[in-house]
Amino acid sequence: MSEPRIPTIDLKPWTHGDPEARAAIARTVDEALRTAGFLLVTGHGVDPALRAAIREAARAFFRLPADVKQPYAVKVGGRGWLGPGAEANGYSEGTETPPDLKESLSFATHEPFDDPVVNAEWYAPNVWPGEVPELRALVEEYLRKMADLEKELLSLLGEALGLEPDFFSRHMDHPTYGFNINWYPGTEVVGEPEPGQFRIGPHTDFGTVTILDRQAGKGGLQVWTDDGGWEDAPFDPAAFTINIGDLMARWTGDRWRSGRHRVLPPPADAPAEELMSLVYFGECTPGTRVESVPAPIGRVAYEPVDSHVYLRGQLDSITVT
């Protein structure tokens, strides 16, 4: 089987290299996003110790009894605990699947907006479980680093299209974001998977860029490629996995594809496998007009959309009611 066309990009030559090195990276990014919608990036400067500390604190929360976690329960798009049965990502593709085999701690946009209408829909204070008080400072530090990395990646994407570097990043004055800590426990917690049930069902993400810090496992991430269908995603413990979402694909007129992916259920030969992912979902400033880049860069001219009208519709589609 062919390998997924998912290259590893070192960001250090991008931020500090000469024009020739930067141009080579931009070409590599463009090719990868046209075929699979995924990249690995190293040289991002995020301390692995911070990522490990977040996992340790979050695991302490997830291992608490359900009745202790229940006061933090929310639906998709809320701030708090997404418990078992709250989400089914396959719904976004129009497929009715059993709920995803995971729990999440979900955080989102942390600064209020000036517009009260925008504020009412897209801002609420993040909820920090009192049982793990150390989690807040760790996550807030991580989110600062994700915001910086997201802007750097969007500048790279602008140049990869042959456009001005701020073509995307100029729409980041006050962006929304989502951040999930996803816990994928073994079958002793979730039970035996039903037919067609995944830790996360097949889907594409909804926003601009997703920054994923993942762990390798038999029941781990798979990506869809034209050449090989479903393939195990490449893994580098030092790297973040980057994929673009539906909004970015639309923005580029489908030159770049929204990376389709899934997370496999607990494997039969390792039913106790436990994994945890840190997932940052980048978006943009509410009210951004997303208009497809015209040909010859873009391939499809979509109707312009308000970024957050579009995002709300996508988020609603995966909520299990």
Side-chain angles (χ1 to χ4, degrees):
M1 297 179 69
S2 59
E3 291 297 317
R5 300 192 67 183
I6 301 176
T8 298
I9 302 296
D10 184 353
L11 289 179
K12 290 179 181 176
W14 169 254
T15 54
H16 303 296
D18 58 34
E20 185 176 342
R22 288 169 59 88
I25 290 172
R27 287 193 299 271
T28 300
V29 167
D30 179 44
E31 178 61 27
L33 296 182
R34 290 167 75 173
T35 55
F38 279 84
L39 301 166
L40 297 183
V41 298
T42 59
H44 45 70
V46 182
D47 189 346
L50 173 61
R51 295 141 69 184
I54 291 173
R55 281 189 170 87
E56 183 178 359
R59 184 172 290 107
F61 175 81
F62 287 125
R63 288 290 186 182
L64 291 170
D67 62 339
V68 178
K69 294 183 285 189
Q70 187 59 40
Y72 302 104
V74 293
K75 289 185 176 293
V76 175
R79 281 84 164 157
W81 177 56
L82 289 171
E87 193 172 356
N89 275 272
Y91 280 28
S92 67
E93 297 190 341
T95 304
E96 289 196 16
T97 63
D100 295 338
L101 295 168
K102 71 174 183 69
E103 297 180 23
S104 300
L105 277 169
S106 187
F107 308 94
T109 310
H110 61 282
E111 293 181 352
F113 297 90
D114 293 333
D115 184 333
V117 175
V118 174
N119 215 39
E121 183 168 9
W122 292 100
Y123 169 76
N126 280 320
V127 174
W128 305 101
E131 292 79 6
V132 283
E134 67 274 22
L135 185 65
R136 178 171 185 169
L138 294 168
V139 168
E140 288 182 340
E141 180 183 354
Y142 189 80
L143 291 175
R144 285 192 293 270
K145 294 182 180 300
M146 290 299 100
D148 291 342
L149 179 56
E150 180 187 10
K151 289 181 181 179
E152 190 65 49
L153 290 170
L154 289 175
S155 296
L156 170 53
L157 295 187
E159 294 205 23
L161 283 182
L163 304 170
E164 53 268 34
D166 69 342
F167 182 82
F168 298 116
S169 60
R170 72 180 66 148
H171 302 290
M172 299 292 290
D173 291 340
H174 192 166
T176 60
Y177 70 85
F179 176 59
N180 281 1
I181 304 174
N182 288 342
W183 182 50
Y184 309 119
T187 55
E188 79 283 359
V189 174
V190 299
E192 289 295 327
E194 298 177 32
Q197 191 170 30
F198 293 85
R199 281 171 160 164
I200 294 185
H203 70 287
T204 55
D205 292 339
F206 304 144
T208 53
V209 293
T210 299
I211 306 171
L212 167 65
D213 177 41
R214 58 178 287 248
Q215 295 177 310
K218 291 184 176 182
L221 179 68
Q222 290 193 322
V223 301
W224 177 267
T225 65
D226 288 339
D227 291 339
W230 288 112
E231 301 266 6
D232 291 339
F235 178 72
D236 177 346
F240 286 123
T241 301
I242 308 297
N243 64 278
I244 66 165
D246 300 339
L247 196 66
M248 180 61 73
R250 188 182 185 103
W251 219 334
T252 68
D254 280 350
R255 178 186 182 89
W256 293 343
R257 65 166 43 182
S258 184
R260 188 169 179 241
H261 53 288
R262 66 187 184 184
V263 181
L264 294 174
D269 60 346
E273 178 185 79
E274 176 190 14
L275 303 174
M276 193 178 297
S277 291
L278 314 181
V279 198
Y280 180 89
F281 300 102
E283 296 166 354
C284 51
T285 301
T288 296
R289 177 182 167 89
V290 174
E291 190 168 0
S292 299
V293 176
I297 296 173
R299 297 172 177 172
V300 178
Y302 288 102
E303 284 293 320
V305 293
D306 179 297
S307 58
H308 283 62
V309 171
Y310 179 81
L311 288 169
R312 175 56 60 198
Q314 297 293 85
L315 287 168
D316 288 347
S317 73
I318 65 170
T319 302
V320 177
T321 56

